[in-house]
Amino acid sequence: MKAIVCSNYGGPEVLRLVEVAKPTCGKNELLIQVMATAVNSADVKVRALAMPGYLTPLMRIVLGICRPRRPILGTVYAGVVEAVGTQVRQFRKGDRVFGSTGFNFGTYAAYLTATENSPVSRMPEKASFAEAAALVFGGQTAHWFLQQAGLPTAKKPKLLLIGSTGAVGTAAVQLAHAYGADITAVCSSAGKELMEGLGVSNTLFYDTVDYTKCGGSYDVVFDAVGVVKKSDIRHLLREKGRFVSVGSLSYATETKAQLAAIKALYESAKMRAVIDRTYSLKEIVEAHRYVDTGRKKGNVVIQVASLASETG
Ligand SMILES: NC(=O)c1ccc[n+]([C@@H]2O[C@H](COP(=O)([O-])OP(=O)(O)OC[C@H]3O[C@@H](n4cnc5c(N)ncnc54)[C@H](OP(=O)(O)O)[C@@H]3O)[C@@H](O)[C@H]2O)c1
């Protein structure tokens, strides 16, 4: 099967399209034909081993000392179940599924295997594979951080969302709307239309104002790009206000429950996939180059295969 392998840490050009053996599924696993994946900020960090210096030795132990131990990168997918192991009960051949593989990686490939208890779910009805793949990374991360902040159970919470135009940010906007939050979004003026399209009426453009000096009183400040410290925004928090940040040492855990929530929101038209660009698997180097800029809006999708029914 075709797969992208990362044979060294480095720039986008370390990624190569090669032929590798197609995996087979174990008794509690699904064999999934990957139709779409996405290039996320975390993928490019793993490829480049780009993390704060103090974390690098730890990440080398986790990911591989000289090169990724699991050379096929990618952590999110949407595809079709091609076969199931003898002990699999929740899924059948032909199911359209989406999910994440976490530190198992392996989604930049024509096929992958996933245990049925891993974060995998049937896709939202009517979503394309590209849309389903685009919903996962930001959706799961934003869901986790907003839960940590207690947003879903708060009464009409006021949220300051810093970095509202990335994968995590655009998902956070939509989840926060669904939780009934009053959102003030922080992005650059390049994100104006995107924010309007997602129904955000209060936006502070960080390239024209210093939002840390704009006042306000928030129940939750969520930094979805990891650019501020709590000391920068403490004065904007209400007495029991919470600050959560993707830049902290907290690490989002991916669950099936998050996928169920995302699927339900998509099906009730409360969440949509925000796709900036789409590339083919053989264009992976260009896709990584674009994500490396740190300027993508929403998600960058990789179309791995197409079904006749999707291409018309
Ligand atoms: N801790 C965890 O568990 C966890 C999990 C997932 C992701 N993360 C981290 O979360 C971060 C965000 O991920 P992502 O995939 O959403 O990133 P992304 O999509 O690559 O974020 C890019 C977006 O951020 C905006 N941006 C850049 N600098 C900004 C600033 N100073 N203020 C406000 N917006 C800014 C950019 O818009 P403009 O260029 O227009 O500003 C762009 O739209 C990454 O650093 C990732 O590693 C952490």
Side-chain angles (χ1 to χ4, degrees):
M1 66 166 185
K2 294 210 180 321
I4 301 296
V5 298
C6 177
S7 41
N8 281 300
Y9 296 121
E13 60 289 343
V14 297
L15 301 172
R16 282 179 305 118
L17 180 63
V18 296
E19 281 291 325
V20 299
K22 181 176 168 181
T24 51
C25 59
K27 53 193 176 188
N28 63 350
E29 286 182 330
L30 321 174
L31 173 67
I32 298 163
Q33 182 185 8
V34 180
M35 308 303 292
T37 178
V39 178
N40 294 309
S41 51
D43 301 6
V44 301
K45 286 186 181 173
V46 169
R47 185 214 73 225
L49 203 68
M51 20 237 67
Y54 66 94
L55 279 180
T56 311
L58 175 67
M59 291 319 285
R60 281 190 189 273
I61 292 167
V62 174
L63 300 171
I65 302 293
C66 300
R67 61 188 68 85
R69 196 173 293 121
R70 293 176 181 274
I72 303 176
L73 303 185
T75 61
V76 298
Y77 63 87
V80 181
V81 175
E82 184 166 289
V84 295
T86 51
Q87 290 180 3
V88 169
R89 296 287 171 266
Q90 301 162 36
F91 297 93
R92 284 188 304 210
K93 180 175 170 124
D95 282 347
R96 288 156 47 98
V97 293
F98 73 145
S100 55
T101 56
F103 281 108
N104 288 324
F105 302 100
T107 68
Y108 293 176
Y111 292 88
L112 60 81
T113 56
T115 62
E116 77 167 332
N117 293 328
S118 69
V120 53
S121 159
R122 282 190 187 78
M123 272 170 48
E125 293 286 332
K126 301 204 171 96
S128 67
F129 292 109
E131 289 173 320
L135 288 167
V136 179
F137 179 80
Q140 290 195 303
T141 307
H143 190 279
W144 191 87
F145 278 98
L146 293 177
Q147 291 268 340
Q148 296 299 305
L151 204 77
T153 50
K155 216 170 172 194
K156 292 196 177 162
K158 280 195 76 172
L159 169 70
L160 179 67
L161 174 60
I162 300 167
S164 53
T165 54
V168 179
T170 51
V173 165
Q174 301 182 80
L175 288 169
H177 271 315
Y179 301 146
D182 173 354
I183 306 169
T184 300
V186 175
C187 62
S188 76
S189 28
K192 185 173 184 289
E193 270 178 40
L194 176 56
M195 288 302 102
E196 285 168 0
L198 290 177
V200 179
S201 45
N202 299 327
T203 312
L204 299 171
F205 300 120
Y206 72 80
D207 48 351
T208 59
V209 293
D210 180 352
Y211 57 89
T212 66
K213 298 201 172 107
C214 285
S217 176
Y218 298 94
D219 298 293
V220 172
V221 176
F222 176 28
D223 180 358
V225 275
V227 288
V228 296
K229 297 193 285 292
K230 188 173 181 181
S231 55
D232 299 329
I233 55 80
R234 185 175 281 121
H235 59 287
L236 300 175
L237 285 171
R238 285 183 172 162
E239 196 184 331
K240 290 194 175 156
R242 307 276 297 272
F243 171 65
V244 286
S245 170
V246 294
S248 66
L249 287 176
S250 306
Y251 191 80
T253 316
E254 298 99 6
T255 66
K256 269 187 192 293
Q258 293 157 349
L259 294 174
I262 293 165
K263 175 170 157 43
L265 287 170
Y266 182 94
E267 288 172 350
S268 57
K270 291 184 174 151
M271 190 161 189
R272 67 174 172 87
V274 178
I275 298 177
D276 182 345
R277 295 186 184 183
T278 302
Y279 295 86
S280 67
L281 199 57
K282 65 177 188 227
E283 295 171 319
I284 196 85
V285 170
E286 286 79 12
H288 267 245
R289 252 186 216 125
Y290 182 52
V291 177
D292 268 349
T293 65
R295 307 262 85 97
K296 78 175 160 69
K297 303 287 175 278
N299 297 273
V300 166
V301 168
I302 303 293
Q303 195 81 47
V304 180
S306 300
L307 288 183
S309 57
E310 285 216 327
T311 55

